[in-house]
Amino acid sequence: MTETSAAPWWQDAVIYQVYPRSFADADGDGMGDLRGVASRLGYLRGLGVDAVWLSPFYPSPQRDAGYDVSDYRGVDPLFGTLEDFDAMLAEAHRLGLRIIVDLVPNHTSDQHAWFREALAAAPGSPARARYIFREGRGAGGAEPPNNWLSLFGGPAWTRVTEQAGPDAGRPGQWYLHLFDTSQPDLDWSNPEVHAEMEDVLRFWLDRGVDGFRVDVAHGLVKAEGLPDWSAKVSMVSGTDAPLTAPLDTPEEAGAVGVAPDPAHVRTLEPDQELEHRLSPEDRPPYLDQDGVHRIYEEWHRVLAAYPGDRMMVAEAWVAPAERTFRYVRPGEMQQAFNFGFLLAGWDAARIAANVDETLQAAAAVGAPATWVLSNHDTVRHTSRFGLKDPTTFPKGIGAEDEQPDEQLGWARGRAAAMVMLGLPGSAYVYQGDELGLPEHTTLPHELRQDPSFFRTGGAERGRDGCRVPLPWVASAPGFGFGPYPGASGGDGGGAAGSVRPWLPQPAGFARYAADRQVGVPGSTYELYRDLLAIRGGHALGRGKLEWAAPHDPEAGILAFRNGPVLVVANMGADPVALPAGWRIAASSRDGAVADGALEPDACVWMLAE
Ligand code: NOJ
């Protein structure tokens, strides 16, 4: 069987991202796991999502929270076993939920058998040819082969001590790592790498997964000759400087990395960072190279040989939208994340421009639009939208930085979700979005784990604040993230017993716990559930957007029709009169509408009376 004739499920799916480390901890060791995921699938079914994307659960030394894979065909004991995976998958399918797994093809862990072999082998050997090893420049090869910087900060090259050959025991070649030193980049000009990754795809397809989220999909191919390119592109696209002052003593906070010398680094603004991945004359020679598309054509053929509309979604931080949609041309992937939407912030004009650009580019290649507000790499939108400038995109928030207005961010976050879920196409919900969960913005630096914090000397606070374990039960230890017998109840600092969630939960998470929201009218969970029901009932994901009165983005008003639904969001400062002849089907908060006008920081879905 090849591709099915009915419209494939992924065209309008709402896909929920599970970050396994922080979703649910069944065995009580402080770390989420696959049995935890299985135990909460009913909650997701109840919410009304169509599919679940799982961030990596593979064997890994966890230097980058699992995006450093040492075995692509297994499950790390932290998360369970392959049998646990199969049982979770079967349960998901029984409930009618699809499962997408993460594929990390740009780099392996330095603990992967291939890299160990490469280190033990001599320069020029076939084992080295699976990675990007080069001689250094300068006297004795003591300088890196080029000036590339890691997306996590610091140089993108690490020198090895040779173990074999004439130089054994001496400093030798350098290997490329676009991310952490522990994440060596694979060499995609080597056919063996292609064969191996296709085999990995088949391994998971044979087990029954419905698709793959492809990590750093724009990074696999590097420009011929690895030419110099000096700007630093960040993992977390955003403002380079911390929001207020840099840390005085990053060492005291445990930040041991070295920030690149600013004199040698061109600093790019967030939008510019994306643009730099566009302009042919100044695109980084390691991102968005044309050759990546050949790989996705190969993978398309692999997936097409399986029944059931298997899919791939590209994680490619590229701009503008036409560039992103090159990844989803016929014969390539099925979806690409729309990071332009995520970067637009709480700003009607920026969102309207992104929506227009996205729908146009999507139509040009016949692929669905996608929408996303948050993920495990970005400050949660509920917190970003509570900053003085709600289009700011910080690389993490620390206690020293501007603190978001939590109530305002919560209100805007709910309204933004209403805009997103009213749009045609497919939407991604990051775990906790449905609870209105904020970022942990005061996480002590000594508890941080993200390599981007360490590799920038603390200048980037990093991504731990959006990865804090979910609160399930307000009064339970660790807020019910796992069973922590003997620990005292939801104390906010996490369980007080010997085992604690791997990152501490702030006390305020009690207010957002699932048990305070499921079945509670007006809660964020129930709002999402209502929206998903209306969206499904009217097939909004397959609908068509038309801007409609009172749409006026420059005045902060977004308004559009999709099928029978009129969505109106007020991102401006003044109330907006709502049109007559419509009744409110859903509203972002109590008091959103007063005297026939929509208050600021609110959104409504309306149906004709
Ligand atoms: C993108 C992932 O989302 C991020 O978490 C990871 O650190 C990098 N890719 C490297 O794999």
Side-chain angles (χ1 to χ4, degrees), residues 108 112-119 127 130-131 186 192-193 196:
T108 69
H112 190 282
W114 272 12
F115 195 70
R116 288 163 174 264
E117 231 182 283
L119 288 184
R130 294 164 176 152
Y131 293 91
L186 288 163
E192 202 186 344
V193 172
E196 168 66 4

Side-chain angles (χ1 to χ4, degrees), residues 60-78:
S60 159
Q62 303 287 320
R63 292 282 298 273
D64 184 22
Y67 282 94
D68 47 329
V69 179
S70 55
D71 173 5
Y72 288 81
R73 297 177 184 79
V75 171
D76 195 289
L78 264 184

Side-chain angles (χ1 to χ4, degrees), residues 301-606:
R301 289 192 286 274
V302 173
L303 267 65
Y306 285 80
D309 294 317
R310 315 288 172 113
M311 60 85 81
M312 295 177 281
V313 53
E315 189 230 10
W317 288 81
V318 299
E322 297 89 74
R323 202 76 205 170
T324 309
F325 276 88
R326 297 181 74 212
Y327 289 75
V328 291
R329 290 175 294 195
E332 295 196 38
M333 298 206 201
Q334 285 69 25
Q335 291 190 348
F337 290 116
N338 180 354
F339 292 124
F341 185 74
L342 186 149
L343 287 171
W346 177 254
D347 182 296
R350 287 165 61 106
I351 294 178
N354 172 269
V355 169
D356 280 334
E357 166 184 76
T358 301
L359 293 176
Q360 216 171 26
V365 295
T370 68
W371 313 101
V372 59
L373 288 165
S374 287
N375 64 29
H376 67 292
D377 291 328
T378 62
V379 171
R380 285 183 177 273
H381 63 275
T382 40
S383 296
R384 282 187 277 121
F385 295 171
L387 292 170
K388 280 193 204 88
D389 174 357
T391 63
T392 311
F393 204 89
K395 295 170 182 169
I397 297 179
E400 343 31 26
D401 303 320
E402 181 198 334
Q403 293 295 302
D405 177 331
E406 189 172 328
Q407 192 62 27
L408 182 62
W410 173 87
R412 289 175 172 173
R414 287 165 57 115
M418 293 186 71
V419 171
M420 175 174 90
L421 295 173
L423 291 166
S426 173
Y428 281 81
V429 174
Y430 177 47
Q431 65 175 41
D433 286 356
E434 81 286 8
L435 300 174
L437 202 65
E439 183 89 358
H440 191 334
T441 56
T442 55
L443 192 65
H445 293 314
E446 61 273 14
L447 298 179
R448 292 193 184 277
Q449 310 223 1
D450 183 358
S452 71
F453 172 77
F454 299 100
R455 290 185 61 88
T456 59
E460 290 181 19
R461 310 304 195 222
R463 302 164 293 174
D464 296 305
C466 66
R467 299 175 173 181
V468 174
L470 290 191
W472 291 97
V473 181
S475 61
F479 298 130
F481 172 59
Y484 305 115
S488 60
D491 62 356
S498 53
V499 178
R500 289 164 179 265
W502 70 281
L503 284 174
Q505 301 148 306
F509 267 27
R511 289 195 290 281
Y512 300 90
D515 74 328
R516 296 235 175 134
Q517 300 205 37
V518 176
V520 177
S523 70
T524 306
Y525 180 91
E526 290 301 327
L527 173 65
Y528 269 72
R529 179 146 75 171
D530 287 349
L531 298 174
L532 292 179
I534 301 173
R535 180 187 154 92
H538 295 293
L540 300 187
R542 288 171 197 231
K544 195 170 160 348
L545 172 136
E546 280 171 53
W547 298 115
H551 185 59
D552 185 354
E554 293 309 322
I557 308 161
L558 270 186
F560 60 87
R561 289 277 308 265
N562 182 358
V565 177
L566 172 67
V567 178
V568 186
N570 187 355
M571 304 182 183
D574 303 311
V576 174
L578 290 170
W582 297 80
R583 67 181 171 82
I584 306 228
S587 127
S588 64
R589 62 179 158 87
D590 279 353
V593 177
D595 298 331
L598 180 63
E599 292 292 314
D601 305 311
C603 182
V604 284
W605 282 15
M606 307 181 88

